[in-house]
């Protein structure tokens, strides 16, 4: 599940870092997303939004609705494995 989350997040690249950052740039955030998602206390979209807001504060300027779209993509890919 971590690999699917990472693949989708890296492709999305919400902070626009992947052009110059190491390939593991979002690993910390992806692990937090997975850990919180497994606990099942919030929707995946809200988790993604909160994790990136906590990690990148002012640099994260993505609306929660986009995080919901990313969550849908992750959930659909998880469902196919």
């Amino acid at each position: 599940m971590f690999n699917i989350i990472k693949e989708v997040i890296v492709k999305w690249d919400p902070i626009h870092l992947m052009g110059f950052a190491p390939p593991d740039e979002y690993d910390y955030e992806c692990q937090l997303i997975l850990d919180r998602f497994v606990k099942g206390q919030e929707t995946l979209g809200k988790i993604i939004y909160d994790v990136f807001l906590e990690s990148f504060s002012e640099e994260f300027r993505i609306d929660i609705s986009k995080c919901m779209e990313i969550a849908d993509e992750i959930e659909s890919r998880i469902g196919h494995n």
Side-chain angles (χ1 to χ4, degrees):
M1 193 180 312
F2 174 84
N3 289 336
I4 291 171
I5 292 170
K6 179 177 177 174
E7 188 175 311
V8 173
I9 296 294
V10 166
K11 179 181 163 202
W12 175 38
D13 192 15
I15 313 298
H16 307 290
L17 299 174
M18 296 315 297
F20 56 88
D24 66 348
E25 178 63 36
Y26 293 124
D27 280 10
Y28 175 75
E29 288 77 22
C30 291
Q31 189 61 56
L32 286 176
I33 291 166
L34 176 59
D35 293 347
R36 292 181 187 181
F37 182 63
V38 169
K39 290 180 183 175
Q41 297 172 340
E42 296 178 284
T43 65
L44 183 56
K46 176 83 166 97
I47 293 167
I48 292 168
Y49 181 80
D50 288 347
V51 164
F52 277 96
L53 192 60
E54 290 163 14
S55 289
F56 295 99
S57 56
E58 303 88 35
E59 297 166 11
F60 183 66
R61 299 169 194 225
I62 306 290
D63 188 76
I64 194 166
S65 63
K66 180 61 180 176
C67 296
M68 296 297 187
E69 290 176 27
I70 296 300
D72 288 345
E73 182 177 346
I74 291 169
E75 289 176 325
S76 73
R77 293 197 48 204
I78 289 170
H80 290 97
N81 285 341

